[in-house]
Amino acid sequence: MKPAPLYPGRVAVLPPQLFGSVAYYALMARYGAAYVDNELRYDKRFKSVHRFDIASTRGKISLTVPVSRPEGATLWCDVKVSAHGRWWETMPDTLATAYGRSPFFEFYIDRLMPVFSEPTGQSITELCDMADSIVRSTLGICSRTQEAPADDCADSFLRKCFEEYAPSSQYWQVRGQELGFIPGLSILDLLFNLGPEAAIFLTKN
């Protein structure tokens, strides 16, 4: 049984992230609920909205979903997913190369495939929401509320560096023997390597 959240009556207010980091989900796991602010102001420096890091044969690499910002758009929810580079075809192949030898890749990859579909005009936050829904359902952590919480029951992490919330201990990685432990990776790294133990790792470390 997974430990209860540390703050069951409070809501974590978070920015949208595509397959957010282990630290992002470790923070989320501490709360009874999360609210993702998809109306956060657009900032091109905030790459984690459409980019996530994995461990390849060469070490850490970033996978990026290209986006298109309509003229005058000021919010992340107005930024569209682009079809440039046919990323929905190349990303699953890259994940297979990176994690095909991991214990739980074959077990989870089919659940993730809806994220890797040819874009049909959706926003990047809609894609993030889809990915997040799959991840949280798989982990079994933290419900998500669609309504902005009242200030007196919310803790905002919109401007935080999530690595400060990373679990204190390391976990087994499929390329750890060759590359050493690589911190700061996407939650996909934890899922593919630990499988059902991923949620326990997030909440006990």
Side-chain angles (χ1 to χ4, degrees), residues 47-131:
K47 302 296 186 184
S48 57
V49 176
H50 60 109
R51 177 184 297 176
F52 59 99
D53 294 331
I54 64 168
S56 76
T57 55
R58 305 183 305 276
K60 183 186 289 190
I61 63 170
S62 296
L63 301 185
T64 302
V65 170
V67 294
S68 175
R69 181 189 177 198
E71 185 176 356
T74 59
L75 306 177
W76 273 110
C77 59
D78 297 324
V79 175
K80 301 298 183 182
V81 176
S82 171
H84 180 73
R86 301 188 70 83
W87 58 269
W88 62 92
E89 295 177 348
T90 60
M91 277 191 188
D93 291 341
T94 303
L95 288 172
T97 299
Y99 294 106
R101 291 168 41 205
S102 65
F104 297 97
F105 176 78
E106 294 294 337
F107 186 76
Y108 289 123
I109 189 60
D110 287 345
R111 301 188 194 186
L112 301 169
M113 288 309 294
V115 178
F116 305 112
S117 300
E118 185 172 359
T120 56
Q122 73 266 47
S123 68
I124 187 59
T125 56
E126 289 174 323
L127 190 68
C128 290
D129 285 349
M130 181 190 300

